Amino acid sequence: MLITTTSNIEGKRIANYVGLVNGEAIIGANLVKDFFTTIRDVVGGHSGAYVQALREAKSIALKEMIDQATRLGANAIIGVDLDYQTIGTNGAMLMVSANGTAVIME
């Protein structure tokens, strides 16, 4: 599955717009709280464990989006946007969402 943030793919023609596709992943409360605490405590650095957790959440969201596009018969997703949002009481959880347009490319 070809995935791009652009609205077209150079050298390819969009034969059909299949529809909007999306995927989400949520990281639990303790991880988000610890993440922001770590950022305050370690200025200029990063925590490998939290970076890995965010990457995993992004991978899950992208996989869900790809699976949905595949079920719709698409062979590419264009206009992909990744969003990171806090949700829940006091921003207790972090949601990663991936959204795009499933298409059939020739």
Side-chain angles (χ1 to χ4, degrees):
M1 177 79 55
L2 185 57
I3 301 171
T4 181
T5 58
T6 61
S7 60
N8 59 29
I9 299 171
E10 189 173 337
K12 301 283 187 179
R13 185 177 85 76
I14 297 173
N16 190 24
Y17 289 87
V18 179
L20 298 175
V21 289
N22 65 318
E24 295 87 21
I26 296 176
I27 298 174
N30 291 338
L31 181 61
V32 173
K33 179 181 175 187
D34 292 345
F35 174 75
F36 289 113
T37 299
T38 301
I39 294 299
R40 283 192 302 264
D41 291 345
V42 185
V43 177
H46 74 278
S47 169
Y50 295 114
V51 169
Q52 182 59 34
L54 286 171
R55 284 183 182 153
E56 184 176 336
K58 181 178 103 175
S59 292
I60 291 167
L62 287 171
K63 183 181 181 321
E64 285 185 4
M65 183 180 66
I66 291 167
D67 290 348
Q68 186 179 12
T70 301
R71 286 191 303 274
L72 293 172
N75 61 3
I77 306 171
I78 61 171
V80 173
D81 179 50
L82 293 171
D83 290 317
Y84 299 83
Q85 300 175 10
T86 55
I87 58 175
T89 306
N90 298 322
M93 301 189 320
L94 179 68
M95 180 176 75
V96 179
S97 64
N99 302 283
T101 303
V103 297
I104 297 174
M105 304 294 291
E106 291 183 338

